[in-house]
């Protein structure tokens, strides 16, 4: 296909350009994998070759990637791995130069993918993002869709490799014409042009990369030269927040400040709302475990408190994995040390057994009985019924139903102080606070997990609303709706969220333990609801009959929403 852009002679005649676009499972070339690759070869203003291939990454594809690209596990099932097609891709790349929009991203993914396949990639790298920044210095944005709009290029395959590769190729042809007007006549001239300074360069990140970041809510990933994700953050103004970081404006984040000199690239992911950004940030932190992030890095150690109902003399256990039996399970909690200390205090104070063996006749007592720290069920000094009453006291306290045991502990603390046993009193005071923390967290989790809600919130889209569906305290779906949205459509959204996604048909779902990987998101949701109280319309939903709430949701969508936190109480529909 000839593109009639150039009058004779064609600039850069005889110089081939190989335009590449990739779809991937995420933003890190080290941890993520390629799902689709497209190569478009240009020569003398003409596309002379095309190649595209879906690739099985052999790793899970996150939901946010599927929403962006439409590629999921079914799409790549049965497709070759990158190793299977590496030789063919290398043939299409030939001697380059490798051209891409934000080329550092695509080149890093290809370089690591080729290395894993036993090949080496070392080609000149030409970035249309950086070229556009130098040749069109006054554009408000340099994202691919902004440049295609500026040049009047139609891209019907956005966020798929073939469509974006061809759009990038056409952007490159326009930029080549502009570069020729600026005196560039060779590949070396283009490489020098893309590396030339533009104003003040913030740290090691090119200004064009900053300009391409979302201006609204989203998540950003700060990366080093090897593609390591050093920091994951979120903001309602992504570009502005990244600028603040790179200018050293992270005084309260010493880990990030120490790594600023290593940051050379930024990846931005736009989201439809602040809430979506909060959840995506939490998931990406757990995915990449960035060095500069301190919170939410790893939920593997989030413990549960377990009381084994099948044991006639159960213990209070701190466990990592929720059991598959009918044991009482509390949590998960985010402070393992605090939980362990609270369990130790209750176990010792109530005299619950600490040994892990099953009790059987003929056992002898351990030293804990003589120390008054165990009731001695191993030698029959307490029967099963009396022991069960004591265990129930611990369960009632931890679930927040009965705080009389906490009052006893507080009275004992005061008695120690009156006897001038100040160190013991101070230790007990601290451990009481740990129990109070555990009880408070459990109450909060129980309250959040009982929520089945439809939430109507303001949207960044004109004349639109965001509809969030909350099932058991967890966000299961988000949709943009408007005054024109039909009632039947809202009914379908609710049915999909609460029946299909929420598994409302499963009676055991409501009593199942809270998944460890969801606890951070449940806390984030609860905090977000409290912070945005006045701006939301909150509608309770019966998960077994979600369509019954559709009219209330439709009414909330049609009426004006409060947009300022100072505008009175929460709008609420019944």
């Amino acid at each position: 296909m000839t593109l009639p852009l150039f009058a004779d002679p064609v600039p850069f005649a005889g110089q081939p350009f190989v335009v590449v676009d990739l779809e991937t499972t995420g933003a890190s070339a080290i941890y993520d994998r390629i799902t689709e690759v497209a190569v478009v070869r240009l020569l003398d203003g003409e596309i002379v070759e095309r190649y595209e291939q879906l690739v099985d990454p052999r790793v899970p594809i996150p939901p946010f990637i599927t929403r962006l690209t439409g590629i999921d596990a079914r799409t790549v099932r049965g497709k070759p791995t990158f190793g299977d097609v590496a030789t063919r891709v290398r043939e299409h790349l030939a001697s380059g130069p490798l051209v891409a929009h934000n080329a550092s991203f695509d080149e890093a993914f290809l370089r690591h993918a080729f290395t894993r396949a036993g090949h080496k990639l070392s080609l000149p790298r030409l970035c249309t993002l950086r070229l556009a920044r130098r040749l069109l210095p006054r554009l408000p944005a340099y994202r691919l869709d902004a440049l295609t709009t500026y040049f009047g290029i139609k891209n019907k395959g956005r966020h798929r490799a073939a469509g974006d590769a061809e759009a990038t190729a056409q952007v490159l042809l326009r930029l080549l014409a502009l570069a020729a007007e600026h005196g560039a006549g060779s590949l070396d001239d283009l490489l020098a042009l893309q590396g030339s300074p533009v104003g003040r360069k913030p740290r090691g990140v090119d200004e064009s990369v900053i300009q391409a970041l979302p201006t609204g809510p989203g998540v950003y990933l700060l990366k080093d030269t090897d593609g390591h994700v050093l920091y994951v953050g979120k903001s309602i103004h992504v570009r502005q927040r990244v600028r603040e970081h790179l200018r050293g404006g992270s005084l309260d984040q010493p880990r990030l400040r120490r790594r600023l000199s290593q940051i050379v690239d930024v990846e931005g992911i736009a989201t439809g709302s602040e809430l979506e950004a909060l959840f995506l940030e939490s998931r990406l932190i757990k995915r990449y475990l960035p060095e500069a992030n301190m919170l939410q890095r790893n939920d593997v150690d989030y413990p549960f408190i377990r009381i084994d109902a099948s044991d006639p003399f159960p213990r209070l256990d701190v466990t990592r994995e929720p059991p598959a039996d009918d044991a009482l399970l509390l949590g998960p909690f985010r402070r393992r040390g605090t939980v362990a200390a609270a369990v130790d205090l209750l176990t010792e104070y109530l005299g619950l057994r600490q040994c892990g063996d099953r009790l059987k006749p003929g056992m002898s007592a351990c030293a804990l009985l003589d120390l008054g720290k165990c009731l001695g069920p191993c030698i029959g000094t307490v029967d099963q019924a009396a022991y069960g009453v004591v265990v129930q006291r611990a369960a009632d306290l931890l679930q927040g139903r009965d705080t009389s045991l906490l009052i006893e502990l507080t009275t004992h603390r005061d008695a120690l102080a009156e006897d001038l046993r100040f160190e013991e009193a101070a230790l007990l005071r601290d451990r009481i606070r740990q129990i109070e923390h555990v009880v408070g967290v459990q109450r909060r989790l129980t309250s959040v997990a009982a929520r089945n809600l439809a939430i109507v919130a303001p949207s960044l889209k004109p004349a639109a609303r965001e509809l969030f569906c909350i099932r058991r305290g967890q966000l299961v779906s988000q949709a943009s709706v408007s005054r024109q949205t039909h009632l039947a459509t809202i009914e379908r959204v609710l049915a999909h969220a609460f029946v299909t996604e929420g598994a409302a048909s499963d009676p055991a779902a409501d009593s199942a333990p809270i998944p460890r990987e969801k606890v951070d998101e449940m806390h984030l949701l609860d905090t977000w609801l409290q912070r945005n109280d006045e701006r939301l319309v909150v509608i309770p939903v019966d998960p077994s009959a979600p369509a019954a709430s559709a009219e209330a949701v439709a009414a909330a969508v049609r009426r004006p929403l409060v947009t300022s936190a100072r505008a009175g109480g929460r709008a609420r529909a019944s």
Side-chain angles (χ1 to χ4, degrees):
M1 178 183 71
T2 302
L3 300 174
L5 294 175
F6 307 123
D8 293 332
V10 174
F12 306 96
Q15 171 63 59
F17 296 92
V18 182
V19 182
V20 174
D21 191 83
L22 307 173
E23 300 303 333
T24 68
T25 62
S28 171
I30 297 173
Y31 301 107
D32 293 306
R33 298 295 184 265
I34 295 170
T35 59
E36 189 176 34
V37 56
V39 181
V40 173
R41 189 174 181 82
L42 293 172
L43 183 64
D44 296 339
E46 187 175 322
I47 295 179
V48 297
E49 187 178 293
R50 291 182 178 86
Y51 170 79
E52 61 179 299
Q53 178 65 58
L54 282 164
V55 173
D56 186 348
R58 298 293 176 90
V59 297
I61 300 175
F64 81 92
I65 292 292
T66 299
R67 288 197 298 272
L68 185 68
T69 66
I71 298 175
D72 58 14
R74 292 173 296 179
T75 311
V76 298
R77 187 176 297 134
K79 302 300 180 182
T81 65
F82 188 86
D84 297 330
V85 299
T87 300
R88 190 172 181 189
V89 173
R90 189 68 185 84
E91 291 171 352
H92 283 285
L93 295 176
S95 59
L98 189 154
V99 184
H101 199 70
N102 193 13
S104 61
F105 177 91
D106 300 85
E107 190 270 344
F109 265 92
L110 283 174
R111 177 161 38 85
H112 283 280
F114 275 117
T115 299
R116 286 189 287 267
H119 299 270
K120 185 177 181 180
L121 180 70
S122 179
L123 296 175
R125 186 177 74 189
L126 195 61
C127 180
T128 51
L129 180 61
R130 297 190 177 207
L131 281 178
R133 171 64 179 155
R134 274 103 183 137
L135 295 169
L136 299 165
R138 294 181 179 83
L139 290 187
Y142 294 91
R143 298 183 305 275
L144 182 58
D145 52 359
L147 291 176
T148 53
T149 300
Y150 176 79
F151 287 123
I153 298 168
K154 293 183 179 180
N155 181 5
K156 297 180 180 180
R158 187 73 175 106
H159 296 304
R160 289 300 297 266
D164 284 347
E166 186 148 341
T168 302
Q170 297 201 38
V171 167
L172 174 65
L173 292 175
R174 270 75 169 177
L175 295 175
L176 291 179
L178 293 173
E181 294 177 6
H182 283 70
S186 67
L187 176 59
D188 288 341
D189 293 339
L190 292 173
L191 295 175
L193 176 62
Q194 74 171 357
S196 61
V198 180
R200 187 173 69 176
K201 187 177 180 181
R203 298 287 177 179
V205 182
D206 192 272
E207 175 62 21
S208 59
V209 176
I210 308 297
Q211 284 287 93
L213 293 172
T215 56
V219 174
Y220 54 92
L221 302 93
L222 308 181
K223 300 187 286 185
D224 65 12
T225 53
D226 290 324
H228 281 285
V229 178
L230 301 178
Y231 182 80
V232 175
K234 56 89 181 57
S235 177
I236 57 174
H237 304 291
V238 169
R239 187 190 300 175
Q240 177 181 325
R241 184 58 175 149
V242 169
R243 287 191 190 280
E244 291 172 358
H245 282 318
L246 297 179
R247 289 170 180 165
S250 306
L251 299 177
D252 58 339
Q253 296 171 289
R255 287 191 178 192
L256 176 56
R257 286 178 61 82
R258 287 195 297 268
R259 291 164 178 79
L260 283 180
S261 61
Q262 301 172 248
I263 297 169
V264 299
D265 196 14
V266 183
E267 186 75 18
I269 304 171
T271 60
S273 66
E274 179 191 11
L275 182 60
E276 187 181 354
L278 284 167
F279 285 175
L280 182 55
E281 178 198 35
S282 178
R283 293 168 189 172
L284 292 181
I285 289 173
K286 292 177 177 62
R287 183 181 182 88
Y288 299 124
L289 301 179
E291 297 174 12
N293 286 95
M294 297 180 64
L295 301 178
Q296 302 186 60
R297 275 174 52 91
N298 198 342
D299 58 14
V300 172
D301 289 329
Y302 286 4
F304 297 87
I305 297 176
R306 175 176 179 257
I307 301 176
D308 187 356
S310 66
D311 191 329
F313 297 96
R315 301 180 305 152
L316 288 181
D317 286 325
V318 178
T319 177
R320 288 185 176 184
E321 294 300 327
D325 54 30
D326 60 350
L328 173 64
L329 202 68
L330 306 176
F333 303 94
R334 296 191 286 184
R335 296 184 185 177
R336 182 174 182 83
T338 298
V339 173
V343 166
D344 287 346
L345 173 59
L346 290 177
T347 297
E348 290 184 5
Y349 183 79
L350 293 172
L352 302 180
R353 71 187 188 97
Q354 300 181 37
C355 53
D357 299 330
R358 285 281 179 180
L359 301 185
K360 53 188 178 182
M363 294 183 70
S364 58
C366 66
L368 293 175
L369 179 63
D370 294 333
L371 294 173
K373 295 182 177 181
C374 182
L375 295 175
C378 56
I379 59 171
T381 57
V382 62
D383 62 24
Q384 183 176 341
Y387 189 92
V389 170
V390 176
V391 172
Q392 190 60 49
R393 288 196 73 194
D396 288 344
L397 171 60
L398 291 171
Q399 292 178 297
R401 292 196 297 259
D402 183 358
T403 59
S404 61
L405 181 54
L406 202 58
I407 295 172
E408 279 184 30
L409 289 168
T410 303
T411 302
H412 182 50
R413 176 203 64 194
D414 295 342
L416 290 172
E418 289 177 5
D419 290 342
L420 306 183
R421 297 161 65 181
F422 298 120
E423 290 186 4
E424 294 176 67
L427 178 60
L428 182 56
R429 175 203 62 202
D430 294 340
R431 299 181 78 179
I432 289 173
R433 288 175 180 170
Q434 291 168 323
I435 292 178
E436 290 172 337
H437 171 80
V438 171
V439 172
V441 171
Q442 183 60 39
R443 279 175 170 167
R444 186 182 187 191
L445 283 176
T446 302
S447 173
V448 172
R451 292 173 179 165
N452 297 290
L453 307 170
I455 300 173
V456 180
S459 174
L460 295 174
K461 302 174 184 177
R465 304 284 187 269
E466 295 298 325
L467 173 58
F468 300 103
C469 296
I470 310 300
R471 165 77 173 163
R472 292 194 68 220
Q474 301 166 35
L475 178 66
V476 292
S477 73
Q478 174 183 348
S480 292
V481 292
S482 69
R483 292 170 181 264
Q484 288 71 44
T485 301
H486 295 296
L487 180 62
T489 301
I490 293 176
E491 289 176 346
R492 285 195 298 270
V493 170
L494 295 178
H496 178 76
F498 290 94
V499 179
T500 305
E501 295 290 338
S505 58
D506 181 7
D510 287 327
S511 58
I514 297 169
R516 178 185 282 110
E517 66 274 11
K518 292 294 184 182
V519 67
D520 282 327
E521 294 182 11
M522 293 174 72
H523 284 294
L524 288 171
L525 174 64
D526 185 49
T527 301
W528 181 80
L529 286 171
Q530 294 178 44
R531 191 174 66 243
N532 294 277
D533 188 69
E534 293 90 352
R535 304 171 64 241
L536 309 173
V537 180
V538 179
I539 302 155
V541 176
D542 179 355
S544 63
S549 302
E551 289 191 8
V553 173
V557 170
R558 286 192 293 268
R559 71 171 182 258
L561 288 176
V562 176
T563 58
S564 170
R566 289 177 279 181
R570 173 189 291 184
R572 183 179 291 273
S574 59

